Amino acid sequence: MHHVIIGAGPAGVVAAESLRKADSSAKITILGKESEPPYSRMAIPYKLKGKIEEEGMYLRHDPEHFKALDIDVRQCNVDKINPESKTLELSDGSQQSYDKLLIATGATPLTPPVEGMELPGVHKSWTMDDMRGIESLATKGAKVVQIGAGFIACTNMEGIVARGVDLTIVEMEDRMVPRMMDEIAGNMIKDWCISQGVNVLTNGMVTSIKESTNSASRYQVTVKQKGASSVAEPVAEEKEGGGFFGAIKKALFGGEPEVVAARASEEITLDADLVIVATGVRANIGFLEGTGISVDQGILINERMETSVADIYAAGDCAQGKDFSTGEQEVHAIQPVAVEHGRFAAQNMLGRSVENPGSLNMNVLDAVGLISCSYGLWMGVEGGDSVKVVEKDLWRYLNLQFDGDVLVGTTAIGVAQHMGAMRGLIQMRANLGEWKAILMEEPARIMEAYLALTQSAVIK
Amino acid sequence: MQKSLVIDADKCTGCLQCEMACSVHAEGVFNPSKSRIKTFPFHDEGIFVPYTCTQCDEAWCLHACPVEAIQLNRETGAKEVINDLCVGCKVCTISCPFGTINYNADSGKVIKCDLCGGDPECAKACPTSAITYVDANWTGYDKMKQYAAKAIPGQPAS
C-alpha cells in the first residue's frame, strides 16, 4: 500500500505520522513544495519577534524524525492528478503512482488588484521566504504599511511591532479582524492597537504602491478611506431583527446599512519602506481542474475526509469539510482543524470508517498584547439569546451566544484563563439548564458552569 | 505503574495550599494566579472544586501545537510544555476542551500541570487528602476521566 500525501504542512505531516503508527509496512510519501523541512507558518510572527530561530518553526525538531518513521519527504510540485491511472504528474516531468492519495496542499495568500504589488519591497506573510523578506526590511524605525487586519495580519503585528517599526495597518472593513470578531470586539482591538502606537486605518482601501518621489521612504502608498460621515451612524441594534431603525434601513437601503450614503472618500498617502500584504488566503485547488474532484471554496469532503473521487482524500486549509456548528461544509483554515483533518484522513485511508463529527471554528489572537478568542457561532443564531459584557476600561469583553439553552458561540477579549472550557461547553452541546439564566446574568461564571456540567457528580 | 492525580472535591476545604505549592514549585513565587491547579468555589453549595489537567489520552494540546512544544513524558504520562520550544501562540489554550492549559503573559509561554515530574506538590501540600497521587488504575480515576471525556466526542487515535 502506497499512501501519497501532497503537502508538508501540519495536516499532511500528522496524517503521515498517524498512518505510520497504525501500519508499519505501508509506503508513505509526502510531496512538499518548499525546500525547508516541514515547518509551521503560524510560527512566523515569533521568528520575526526574535523569540526563536528558523529551526524553531519546524513542525518536528529531530532532523531524523521522518527518516526514523520511514516517511519519505520529497520536494516537488504536483502539476496534475490522473485518478484513472492513479498517478501524479510532477513538475520535474516524472510520474508518481499512489494507492491512496491525500491532498493537503494548504492555501495561498491573495494578491489584491493593486498597482505596485510586484515591487521588491512588497511582501506577503506566508512562507519562510516571505518571512525572510520581511525580516530584512522591518528594521528599527522602518515605515511599514500592512494591508489587511484579518487574523493572520493581526498575529503578524506582534512580530513586526517588536522589531521597532513604525506600523500602519489598512483594513477595508469597518473594524479589525472582521471575520472572527464582532463590531464591539473588532473595534476594541483596534482601539488597543492604536493605544500601543499602531496606526490603524479602517474603511481604507489601498489603491496604489509607487516608488517614492521623496527621500523619506522607499514607497508611497495611496489609501482611499471612507470618511466617518460616509459610514452609517451606529444604531443600537438588536442582534436579530435590527430593531426599528434596522427595519427602516433595510427598507430603504436593501439591508446594507454600512455602505449607504457614500460621500467623497478621502485620499491619504503613506510613506513605506516595506509593504506587507495579508488580505486573506485561498485554497490551493487550481491544479485539480479536470480531475472530477468536486470543489467549492475548497475541496469538498465528507465526514470520512473523502473527496468525490475514490481513494482521494483532502485535509487542512484546502479542504471544505463538515462544520460542527452548522453541519455545512466550510473551510476552516486553522491549525487545530488541520491536525484533526490529518488524523481523520489517516484512519479512513487505512480503511477504517471513522467519521469527523465536524470541526469547530475557533481562533485565538494576541494583538500586540491583547488576547482574544472566538468560537463557533459567535455571531449568534436566529432566535437565539445572547449576552455581551463590555468593560472598555479593562479591555475586556465577553459575548456568549445560545441556541435554546445550549452554548453555540463565544467571543472573549482579555480572558486569559481557561479559554478552552468554552470549546468544551460548545462541543458537549450540553443543555445548560439553570446555568443558562445564571450566565445570561453573569457570563463571567462560564468556568463554573463548565465544572458544574462536567463534574456534576462531584458538585451535586 | 503510572500514577495520576485524583481529586476528591468532597474533602476540599478551599485552603488553596495546592495553588501556593504549585506556584512556588513551578514559578518560584507564592502567587495562586501562576498555579497550574485551580480551586473553584461554589458558594451556594458551599463546596470547592480543585481542577487541573487529567493528562488526557486525547492530548488535544499536544496535537494542536504547531511546533512540537508539548511532549509526552513516557515515565509519568504527563503532557509537558517544553519551554525552549513554546512560541506562545496559544493554539493549545483554545484547543484543550478542559481549559487546563493557559498562557502566562510574563513568560510568553503556556503553562500546564506536568505532575512535577512524578512528585506533585499539590498532593503533598493538601492537608485533607482531597488531592492524592495514586496508581492510575484506581477506579476513582476512571470516574474522573469519564467526567472529562463527557466533554466532547473523541478523536481517532493518532
Side-chain angles (χ1 to χ4, degrees):
Chain A
M1 180 63 76
H2 190 180
H3 298 285
V4 176
I5 297 165
I6 314 176
V13 164
V14 168
E17 291 168 348
S18 304
L19 286 165
R20 174 57 72 225
K21 203 166 178 182
D23 185 343
S24 56
S25 63
K27 201 172 162 196
I28 303 170
T29 305
I30 296 178
L31 306 173
K33 242 187 341 197
E34 294 175 57
S35 56
E36 290 83 7
Y39 69 91
S40 172
R41 305 208 192 287
M42 273 197 59
I44 288 177
Y46 309 100
K47 171 68 178 84
L48 288 174
K49 206 175 174 178
K51 215 170 173 177
I52 47 169
E53 296 301 317
E54 280 190 8
E55 291 72 30
M57 298 170 64
Y58 294 171
L59 290 173
R60 301 295 176 250
H61 298 290
D62 176 359
E64 300 297 315
H65 177 80
F66 295 101
K67 206 173 153 193
L69 291 176
D70 194 18
I71 295 169
D72 185 19
V73 184
R74 283 163 53 196
Q75 188 199 351
C76 66
N77 214 355
V78 175
D79 290 337
K80 198 164 177 264
I81 301 172
N82 298 313
E84 313 77 40
S85 57
K86 291 186 135 182
T87 54
L88 308 176
E89 290 176 21
L90 308 183
S91 51
D92 63 5
S94 67
Q95 288 212 338
Q96 169 72 60
S97 62
Y98 66 84
D99 293 310
K100 302 271 184 186
L101 177 68
L102 177 65
I103 306 171
T105 45
T108 303
L110 298 168
T111 303
V114 171
E115 178 193 343
M117 289 302 295
E118 72 297 338
L119 291 167
V122 178
H123 287 279
K124 304 273 174 54
S125 184
W126 193 244
T127 63
M128 194 80 101
D129 266 348
D130 294 336
M131 189 272 300
R132 291 173 189 140
I134 292 173
E135 228 170 17
S136 68
L137 294 173
T139 50
K140 198 166 171 54
K143 295 185 180 74
V144 180
V145 171
Q146 177 169 273
I147 310 176
F151 176 66
I152 293 166
C154 284
T155 309
N156 256 333
M157 206 162 50
E158 187 181 349
I160 306 162
V161 168
R163 300 178 71 83
V165 304
D166 176 359
L167 176 65
T168 300
I169 290 188
V170 183
E171 164 62 43
M172 271 177 76
E173 300 287 330
D174 62 347
R175 60 186 189 272
M176 291 183 83
V177 233
R179 288 180 59 202
M180 88 178 230
M181 291 289 158
D182 64 16
E183 206 180 315
I184 299 169
N187 280 306
M188 189 180 275
I189 294 170
K190 175 184 166 182
D191 291 345
W192 169 265
C193 290
I194 291 169
S195 79
Q196 298 301 303
V198 178
N199 185 21
V200 183
L201 303 176
T202 47
N203 290 314
M205 196 167 77
V206 171
T207 51
S208 71
I209 304 163
K210 289 180 179 158
E211 301 274 0
S212 186
T213 49
N214 62 41
S215 57
S217 68
R218 192 172 173 195
Y219 303 117
Q220 286 187 315
V221 179
T222 308
V223 179
K224 250 185 197 167
Q225 191 183 27
K226 281 187 271 175
S229 59
S230 69
V231 183
E233 288 297 308
V235 173
E237 287 184 44
E238 295 298 318
K239 185 183 56 57
E240 297 85 5
F244 176 67
F245 286 103
I248 289 183
K249 273 191 192 171
K250 259 188 193 156
L252 288 175
F253 306 114
E256 293 292 336
E258 289 84 3
V259 295
V260 301
R263 290 185 207 158
S265 303
E266 199 182 337
E267 202 166 87
I268 302 163
T269 304
L270 301 167
D271 290 328
D273 302 305
L274 162 69
V275 178
I276 300 171
V277 181
T279 52
V281 299
R282 181 173 45 207
N284 289 329
I285 51 178
F287 75 112
L288 299 176
E289 225 168 284
T291 57
I293 296 173
S294 301
V295 298
D296 176 30
Q297 298 296 308
I299 301 164
L300 293 167
I301 51 169
N302 64 15
E303 287 95 330
R304 290 182 300 280
M305 320 307 288
E306 295 164 332
T307 67
S308 57
V309 171
D311 298 323
I312 302 182
Y313 303 75
D317 286 11
C318 68
Q320 188 172 344
K322 187 176 175 183
D323 175 74
F324 172 84
S325 303
T326 62
E328 306 286 321
Q329 285 164 303
E330 309 274 358
V331 174
H332 289 316
I334 53 175
Q335 163 83 16
V337 170
V339 172
E340 277 171 29
H341 274 185
R343 295 171 72 189
F344 279 111
Q347 295 305 311
N348 287 290
M349 290 165 80
L350 289 160
R352 308 164 182 175
S353 180
V354 181
E355 293 198 353
N356 181 359
S359 305
L360 181 67
N361 194 21
M362 60 177 119
N363 272 298
V364 61
L365 179 65
D366 187 335
V368 279
L370 186 66
I371 298 168
S372 58
C373 74
S374 70
Y375 281 107
L377 301 171
W378 52 266
M379 67 304 283
V381 293
E382 210 176 320
D385 290 317
S386 66
V387 54
K388 297 182 179 187
V389 176
V390 188
E391 295 171 284
K392 274 199 176 135
D393 321 343
L394 299 171
W395 300 101
R396 252 191 342 223
Y397 174 54
L398 189 56
N399 157 38
L400 305 184
Q401 296 287 343
F402 304 92
D403 187 357
D405 73 343
V406 175
L407 185 73
V408 292
T410 65
T411 314
I413 297 181
V415 179
Q417 301 293 302
H418 314 299
M419 288 194 295
M422 293 189 235
R423 176 185 191 181
L425 266 184
I426 293 171
Q427 279 199 279
M428 282 162 73
R429 289 202 170 102
N431 293 102
L432 293 166
E434 60 185 8
W435 279 97
K436 159 98 184 274
I438 297 171
L439 290 178
M440 286 293 286
E441 283 293 314
E442 297 173 86
R445 292 177 67 185
I446 187 160
M447 190 61 195
E448 279 174 73
Y450 172 80
L451 287 174
L453 289 158
T454 53
Q455 318 232 329
S456 52
V458 180
I459 290 157
K460 286 222 164 134
Chain B
M1 174 58 63
Q2 277 189 359
K3 290 173 129 191
S4 306
L5 275 179
V6 172
I7 292 168
D8 183 353
D10 286 341
K11 292 182 183 164
C12 178
T13 63
C15 73
L16 306 190
Q17 289 295 313
C18 55
E19 295 190 7
M20 291 295 189
C22 179
S23 127
V24 79
H25 173 79
E27 302 278 338
V29 289
F30 287 104
N31 181 352
S33 75
K34 294 281 188 291
S35 173
R36 280 76 166 146
I37 187 165
K38 300 275 173 188
T39 299
F40 289 87
F42 283 74
H43 295 296
D44 294 344
E45 291 82 4
I47 58 169
F48 300 89
V49 180
Y51 185 68
T52 191
C53 172
T54 62
Q55 316 297 341
C56 73
D57 297 336
E58 302 277 5
W60 304 89
C61 60
L62 181 151
H63 290 299
C65 179
V67 291
E68 214 182 14
I70 302 174
Q71 297 181 9
L72 173 69
N73 179 327
R74 293 193 185 279
E75 220 163 280
T76 62
K79 281 77 188 175
E80 299 179 347
V81 178
I82 313 299
N83 267 329
D84 287 346
L85 296 178
C86 176
V87 296
C89 76
K90 310 169 197 66
V91 167
C92 56
T93 71
I94 59 163
S95 298
C96 165
F98 311 114
T100 48
I101 183 162
N102 291 301
Y103 181 64
N104 176 6
D106 294 341
S107 64
K109 319 247 172 200
V110 293
I111 53 177
K112 75 178 287 297
C113 172
D114 61 359
L115 298 175
C116 299
D119 189 18
E121 297 294 330
C122 56
K124 286 193 281 183
C126 181
T128 61
S129 299
I131 305 165
T132 49
Y133 190 56
V134 299
D135 283 353
N137 63 355
W138 179 75
T139 52
Y141 180 66
D142 288 341
K143 220 161 90 186
M144 209 172 86
K145 270 184 126 177
Q146 277 166 20
Y147 300 140
K150 256 173 61 179
I152 81 179
Q155 294 280 293
S158 60

